[in-house]
Amino acid sequence: MNSYNGFYKVAENNGGVCVGTFYNPDTQESFTKITWDIDDIRLDQDEEVQIYRYMPINKDVRRLWLHRAGVIQEGDQIKVVKGRKVPIGTVAIVKEIKPFYDRYRRWQADYLYLDNGMRTNINNCVLA
C-alpha cells in the first residue's frame, strides 16, 4: 500500500521509538506518528499503526514535501541571493550537493555545484 487516506510516508527515524512523517500532496498537510515502540506492545494491536509502519517512503512525494519546506535538492533550479564569487541574481540548476570539511575533517558547509560550472554555499541560494 503506497498511500493511506491520501497520506504518503516521506520520512522515518528509527531507534527504540520509530516515528514516521506523513504528507498529503493534495492538501499539503503533514503529521508525525509513532509507528513502533519497543516498550509499547499496544501499538502492535492498532490496525492503523500497522498500515503506517509498513508503508514505504514515496520518493516523489518526499521531494514535494522538502520543496514545501524550502530545502534545495539536486536537479532544482536556484537563484543566488548573496555571496561574492557567483553573481547575485544568477539562476542555475543544481547538479550536485557536496559537504565541505576543514582540514580537521569538521563539517563547515554544503556546497552546490551548478550546471554553469560554478559552486556556492547552499545558504547563498533560494529555490527559483
Side-chain angles (χ1 to χ4, degrees), residues 36-109:
W36 186 75
D37 186 351
I38 197 167
D39 295 328
D40 192 355
I41 201 161
R42 292 174 296 156
L43 289 175
D44 291 335
Q45 300 165 356
D46 188 350
E47 188 176 316
E48 184 181 51
V49 170
Q50 293 298 318
I51 291 170
Y52 284 132
R53 178 188 302 175
Y54 296 111
M55 185 184 295
I57 293 177
N58 188 312
K59 293 180 181 176
D60 296 329
V61 177
R62 177 180 169 81
R63 188 169 181 83
L64 295 173
W65 175 66
L66 289 171
H67 280 162
R68 184 168 180 260
V71 177
I72 297 172
Q73 302 170 64
E74 291 180 8
D76 288 344
Q77 185 174 19
I78 56 98
K79 181 177 181 181
V80 178
V81 293
K82 64 180 184 176
R84 298 178 310 163
K85 297 179 181 175
V86 179
I88 294 173
T90 300
V91 177
I93 306 278
V94 177
K95 289 180 74 175
E96 195 172 6
I97 301 174
K98 289 185 182 178
F100 172 74
Y101 299 97
D102 67 2
R103 66 182 183 169
Y104 301 108
R105 299 298 297 157
R106 295 178 298 203
W107 175 85
Q108 297 296 309

Side-chain angles (χ1 to χ4, degrees), residues 1 7-8 19 22-23 27 31-33 45 49 56 61-62 74 83-84 87 89 97 99 112 117 122 124 127:
M1 178 172 285
F7 285 90
Y8 297 85
V19 179
F22 303 90
Y23 178 70
T27 62
F31 69 91
T32 58
K33 186 172 190 70
Q45 300 165 356
V49 170
V61 177
R62 177 180 169 81
E74 291 180 8
R84 298 178 310 163
I97 301 174
L112 302 178
I122 197 168
N124 294 342
L127 285 170

Side-chain angles (χ1 to χ4, degrees), residues 115-127:
D115 63 344
N116 60 9
M118 302 177 115
R119 75 172 188 163
T120 186
N121 190 320
I122 197 168
N123 295 327
N124 294 342
C125 303
V126 294
L127 285 170

